[in-house]
Amino acid sequence: MARHSHPTLWGASLVSPGRTRFRLWAPIQRQPHLAIEGREPIPMGKQDAGWFEVEVECGAGTPYRYRLDDGMLVPDPASRAQTDDVHDPSLVVDPHAYEWRNAEWKGRPLEEVVVYEAHAGLMGGFDGVRSHLKDLADLGVTAIQLMPIGAFPGARNWGYDGVLPYAPDAAYGTPEALKRLVDEAHGHGLQVFLDVVYNHFGPEGNYLHAYAEPFFRNDIHTPWGAAIDFRRREVRRFFADNVMMWLMEYRIDGLRFDAVHQIPERDWLDEVAAEVRRTIEPGRHVHLILENEENDPGYLGREIDAQWNDDFHHCVHVMLTGEDQSYYGNYIRDTAGKLARCLREGFVYQGEAPENGEGGPRGGPSGHLPPTAFVTCLQNHDQVGNRAFGDRLTTLVERKALDAATALHVLCPQIPMIFMGEETGSKEPFLFFTDYHDGLADAVREGRRREFKAFPEFADPHTRERIPDPNAPATFARSRPAIGGESGDHAVHALYKRLLALRAEHVAPRLKGAKAESAEVVNEKAVVGRWLMGDGARLTILTNLGAIPAPLRGVAVPAGEPFLVVGQPLVADGVPAHTTLAWLEDAPK
């Protein structure tokens, strides 16, 4: 058995079982007090540079807040747990209380990663996720990625409106429940990744402005409000300590950093990634993954492992649906050529301007990076949930076409990510949901509907009124899909299990040192990609997502039998409709 913790600059830290040190950065306050439930407020000692500190006789489970100069009571911004919601008292937590059973777990190498993106609330909280671990391991995924879990207002939220990033939300369970989930996942051979949000705070429950106004910049704004000031050491440490807490205390195996293009100080990511590599135990696999809309390859190839590759999603989505609105307009022209570039070089946009005329040049050269530097998906929380009605591909395209796309996605050497419910062919929507009240609830509901006003199908205000209210409990309830091991389309589940087994057998063991060799267009709905694998073998994937056969017309394919056929076998005059085939040719002797 082992116990783990990691020291943090902010917040409440036990110095002995019955004594706790409290630290708060409050540079615009004269004399904040520690307010423990049932006791008189205790003045905090003033330190240098806006810090206040006090040590008090109290232990784990003590509820507390900070009282500001004007009498306002606020939770600890580095709260490790809340008694209830984000406006309520914080709790002192003993990080050593949990005894880890799978203490020898070292994680899994990047080449073995298959991500399953999940929302903890829709799965019944941390204990609910834990109940699905065996089924997900049997399916063949190797990493569960939880959408953000930092405390947010109310009982329902995607997680990107969190305001207390150190505190697992009480609606999902306690810190110990999260640790049990991670521990048991490791016992099943599963990694646990966590989506973390360091580019903004949500619109309700963030009290930092009241006592630490310099935490934010007044010269830069993000889509969610004032930018966080990563030029300040105190701010950088706040988030760096949060990174280290998840990795060291909670034994999380990887982090997905949300929207890093909204963090102006690029060096912070490099700095925190270097700290991670210095700190984690020898031989332990920890993976750092970015979301970066700018297609910036500059972070990759060093301490950062991979980045979400939206280009793959957009190309396949356009080929399947023909949609051309918003950013899909950048992928309508020569879609197959763009998908081929994605298979060959990673990003589609590598310095070119978007074709829909929105914005300047995007991205940089990425062809030198290994396939494992890119995380691909057919669906994710954004691409489904940001549709007005949360439509999944199962409701938009023919199943045969989706099966062919799934085969390409799972067997492609880039890192595949499956969105919860895909593995059961779920048709339930994934809607945008929150739990706001009063004026903020009205603003979120109407703002959500206003977002779609520019789309022709939503020009009529009566049509926009049909867009589900994010705050309605029914919106959350409708978003729960069947999870692997439950009901759903058993044929789809069997396909995913088969494909993941083939990836584990034929692709993953050869990924280290693999590189793209070539990719070319067969026709407007079909492409072929080739990779030289780490052991010298050649992987070829040929896919036709169209409804009619695609003539090969001189495109070379291997002579041997494919190890995978989804759809129909290859015929003399081309690739049948809705078909993906894969070959593996041995390395030359």
Side-chain angles (χ1 to χ4, degrees), residues 539-550:
L539 173 67
T540 300
I541 302 178
L542 174 62
T543 188
N544 177 14
L545 303 184
I548 59 175

Side-chain angles (χ1 to χ4, degrees), residues 85-86 152-156 169 171 204 435 437:
D85 207 355
V86 296
F152 51 78
R156 305 176 301 278
D169 194 86
E204 180 188 339
D435 188 14
H437 301 277

Side-chain angles (χ1 to χ4, degrees), residues 13 31 53 70 155 241 420 467 564 575:
S13 303
Q31 180 58 79
E53 180 179 315
D70 63 0
D241 279 348
M420 62 183 301
I467 296 174
L564 168 79
V575 194

Side-chain angles (χ1 to χ4, degrees), residues 465-533:
E465 288 177 5
R466 293 178 47 236
I467 296 174
D469 179 358
N471 300 290
T475 302
F476 174 81
R478 288 178 58 202
S479 298
R480 190 186 187 282
I483 309 298
E486 298 180 338
S487 60
D489 190 322
H490 296 293
V492 174
H493 190 269
L495 175 64
Y496 268 96
K497 190 167 185 176
R498 174 188 168 210
L499 292 171
L500 289 169
L502 288 171
R503 181 181 179 90
E505 178 183 358
H506 294 294
V507 180
R510 297 177 167 92
L511 268 181
K512 193 170 185 64
K515 59 182 179 180
E517 182 182 31
S518 64
E520 57 189 299
V521 173
V522 176
N523 76 359
E524 67 275 6
K525 296 282 187 177
V527 299
V528 60
R530 306 176 187 88
W531 295 265
L532 288 177
M533 307 304 284

Side-chain angles (χ1 to χ4, degrees), residues 67-148:
R67 194 184 76 176
L68 305 183
D69 293 341
D70 63 0
M72 178 187 290
L73 293 171
V74 300
D76 190 337
S79 168
R80 297 297 191 94
Q82 291 292 102
T83 56
D84 189 8
D85 207 355
V86 296
H87 304 289
D88 295 312
S90 304
L91 288 171
V92 176
V93 169
D94 179 3
H96 290 111
Y98 184 81
E99 295 187 31
W100 292 82
R101 293 175 298 166
N102 294 287
E104 301 304 312
W105 170 259
K106 298 291 186 183
R108 303 180 69 151
L110 186 64
E111 293 79 17
E112 296 181 5
V113 170
V114 175
V115 182
Y116 184 89
E117 187 186 25
H119 185 277
L122 290 174
M123 293 181 77
F126 300 138
D127 288 343
V129 178
R130 192 160 54 87
S131 71
H132 288 283
L133 292 175
K134 183 180 184 303
D135 292 326
L136 292 172
D138 289 345
L139 178 66
V141 301
T142 64
I144 299 172
Q145 179 175 296
L146 299 177
M147 290 172 63

Side-chain angles (χ1 to χ4, degrees), residues 421-494:
E422 279 190 271
E423 80 283 9
T424 58
S426 176
K427 294 186 178 180
E428 287 84 2
F430 180 74
L431 299 162
F432 178 65
F433 49 80
T434 56
D435 188 14
Y436 295 126
H437 301 277
D438 303 324
L440 182 55
D442 295 338
V444 169
R445 180 181 60 251
E446 297 311 312
R448 173 74 172 168
R449 292 171 176 172
R450 201 161 44 244
E451 287 177 11
F452 295 95
K453 186 176 182 180
F455 294 86
E457 61 267 41
F458 294 105
D460 182 353
H462 297 293
T463 304
R464 292 198 298 276
E465 288 177 5
R466 293 178 47 236
I467 296 174
D469 179 358
N471 300 290
T475 302
F476 174 81
R478 288 178 58 202
S479 298
R480 190 186 187 282
I483 309 298
E486 298 180 338
S487 60
D489 190 322
H490 296 293
V492 174
H493 190 269

